[in-house]
Amino acid sequence: MIDIIIQNYEKTKREILVEYDKDSFFENWQENETWEVSFNVTKTDLNSTAFDLVDYESSVIFNGQEFVIKQMTTSAEGKAVSKSVTATHIYYTIQDGRQYNTVTGVRSIQQLLTHVFSAGNRGFSWEVIDPNSKFLTVEQENFGNANYLKLIEEILSDYDAVVIPDNKRLTFYPRAEYGEKVEEQIRYKYNTDSVKFDIDTYSLKTQIKGFGKKKEDGTYYFTPITYTSPESDKWGIRIQDPVEDERYTVVGNMTERLKIDLQDYPAISGSVTLKWRITPKKGDYVPFIYEPLNIRTYIQVVGLKTYPALPNKPPEITLSNTKKTMTSILANLAKKGVI
């Protein structure tokens, strides 16, 4: 039995929700995109107090994390009144803050986060975990004048970062340092029959050129550079669209950017539904074996949909090895009707 606690917007009342539809309850996390819980509940004599607390902007407390009800449908059939609820993690309320001031120049990820929250932390705190100094400094131009969520989205993209919220505590990791390799494999016909994957080589490239900032006299701070992947020995020279970014004035920073941007292996992304539970965590790299396509590789967990009230129902896992620009958080939330 899992506990779902409903708390009113004023945070003056809390009740455990009972007699909800356990088949409907799920938790869905997609890296840098969404984290939400959803469930259906019908009013009964036993849950009437908690049921009445289920309302827009009320909180759902699950597994120690706070989610805010942003979408709800109320329906009635005879005397039975039901609610269908989607609650988004408290992290996404960060969009309610705004930094009007802007900064320009070379900045570290720490400096940008300090700038974002200098307009008021709204109860949030943050830390950057970067033991191997993967985060580079990046030239910024007029960074600011947007809501906090939009600015954090820019940071995630510019610094190739991942943010993991723990309620209002935000931890930022370099993508290269995030997640662990686990040995609990996902294997076709072993623990999954349901595989939906997009595997292509259309975007496979082995060479890319980078253009940085120009001086006032029209010359570059550094000569445009070309990075060629070792994979070119196998695939030949396949040229990717160049990076043209005036934030870069240091050749080493541009080189690292080119290595990150170059998609020098086949793109694999998709989802699997397992036959039984395995326990990968967010960001873990799991062995994925799919004999029909001769795939044997580690692929990162970038999404988890679990059914905590149904202990025998396995999770749905989204996997990807694709280097790509972060999906727009705001666009995703807008599609969901959250903003």
Side-chain angles (χ1 to χ4, degrees), residues 266-309:
I268 303 175
S269 60
S271 60
V272 296
T273 301
L274 301 179
K275 294 179 182 177
W276 61 78
R277 279 186 178 272
I278 66 171
T279 55
K281 300 185 293 297
K282 299 167 184 174
D284 279 352
Y285 291 84
V286 298
F288 179 65
I289 302 170
Y290 185 58
E291 281 91 347
L293 291 177
N294 196 29
I295 296 172
R296 294 172 179 268
T297 186
Y298 280 90
I299 306 183
Q300 191 172 34
V301 175
V302 297
L304 280 171
K305 186 175 182 181
T306 60
Y307 302 85

Side-chain angles (χ1 to χ4, degrees), residues 27-36 89 91-92 135 149 152-153 155-157 159-165 171-180 260 265 268-270 281-286 299-305 316-330 332-333 336:
E27 178 184 11
N28 181 35
W29 168 82
Q30 302 293 323
E31 180 188 284
N32 286 350
E33 295 181 19
T34 191
W35 190 4
E36 64 191 10
H89 194 271
Y91 161 61
Y92 292 100
F135 282 131
L149 189 58
I152 288 176
E153 179 196 15
I155 290 171
L156 297 179
S157 178
Y159 295 85
D160 197 31
V162 174
V163 59
I164 298 297
T171 305
F172 294 83
Y173 299 88
R175 179 170 299 280
E177 298 288 340
Y178 166 60
E180 298 179 356
I260 290 170
Y265 47 76
I268 303 175
S269 60
K281 300 185 293 297
K282 299 167 184 174
D284 279 352
Y285 291 84
V286 298
I299 306 183
Q300 191 172 34
V301 175
V302 297
L304 280 171
K305 186 175 182 181
E316 297 168 20
I317 300 177
T318 305
L319 303 167
S320 179
N321 76 339
T322 307
K323 297 177 182 176
K324 59 183 178 181
T325 303
M326 306 300 174
T327 302
S328 168
I329 297 172
L330 293 176
N332 239 339
L333 294 178
K336 293 175 177 293

Side-chain angles (χ1 to χ4, degrees), residues 112-318:
L112 288 192
L113 288 167
T114 298
H115 175 65
V116 170
F117 290 103
S118 66
N121 63 28
R122 306 187 65 85
F124 285 87
S125 60
W126 57 271
E127 64 176 328
V128 174
I129 305 297
D130 187 17
N132 296 312
S133 301
K134 293 290 186 179
F135 282 131
L136 305 173
T137 55
V138 177
E139 180 82 17
Q140 297 290 338
E141 185 173 352
N142 296 323
F143 175 85
N145 194 25
N147 74 58
Y148 287 3
L149 189 58
K150 177 64 166 59
L151 294 176
I152 288 176
E153 179 196 15
E154 290 184 28
I155 290 171
L156 297 179
S157 178
D158 285 352
Y159 295 85
D160 197 31
V162 174
V163 59
I164 298 297
D166 180 4
N167 288 314
K168 287 190 169 184
R169 177 70 175 176
L170 310 181
T171 305
F172 294 83
Y173 299 88
R175 179 170 299 280
E177 298 288 340
Y178 166 60
E180 298 179 356
K181 279 190 174 182
V182 299
E183 296 308 317
E184 202 168 21
Q185 69 182 19
I186 297 174
R187 185 169 189 160
Y188 181 62
K189 292 298 185 184
Y190 168 62
N191 57 358
T192 181
D193 289 328
S194 176
V195 179
K196 182 180 180 182
F197 264 79
D198 179 20
I199 304 168
D200 72 68
T201 59
Y202 287 113
S203 58
L204 190 155
K205 307 294 181 184
T206 58
Q207 189 178 91
I208 187 171
K209 195 166 186 176
F211 298 82
K213 187 174 183 178
K214 286 185 176 180
K215 301 177 183 178
E216 291 184 1
D217 62 6
T219 62
Y220 288 100
Y221 277 84
F222 58 86
T223 302
I225 61 172
T226 300
Y227 170 71
T228 302
S229 166
E231 293 296 314
S232 62
D233 293 340
K234 178 178 181 180
W235 302 109
I237 298 298
R238 305 184 183 194
I239 301 174
Q240 186 167 311
D241 289 342
V243 170
E244 299 177 79
D245 195 330
E246 291 202 343
R247 294 173 300 175
Y248 289 90
T249 58
V250 178
V251 67
N253 291 352
M254 175 59 81
T255 301
E256 291 302 314
R257 166 71 181 277
L258 296 180
K259 290 179 180 179
I260 290 170
D261 279 16
L262 186 62
Q263 179 71 42
D264 56 355
Y265 47 76
I268 303 175
S269 60
S271 60
V272 296
T273 301
L274 301 179
K275 294 179 182 177
W276 61 78
R277 279 186 178 272
I278 66 171
T279 55
K281 300 185 293 297
K282 299 167 184 174
D284 279 352
Y285 291 84
V286 298
F288 179 65
I289 302 170
Y290 185 58
E291 281 91 347
L293 291 177
N294 196 29
I295 296 172
R296 294 172 179 268
T297 186
Y298 280 90
I299 306 183
Q300 191 172 34
V301 175
V302 297
L304 280 171
K305 186 175 182 181
T306 60
Y307 302 85
L310 303 174
N312 294 322
K313 187 166 183 176
E316 297 168 20
I317 300 177
T318 305

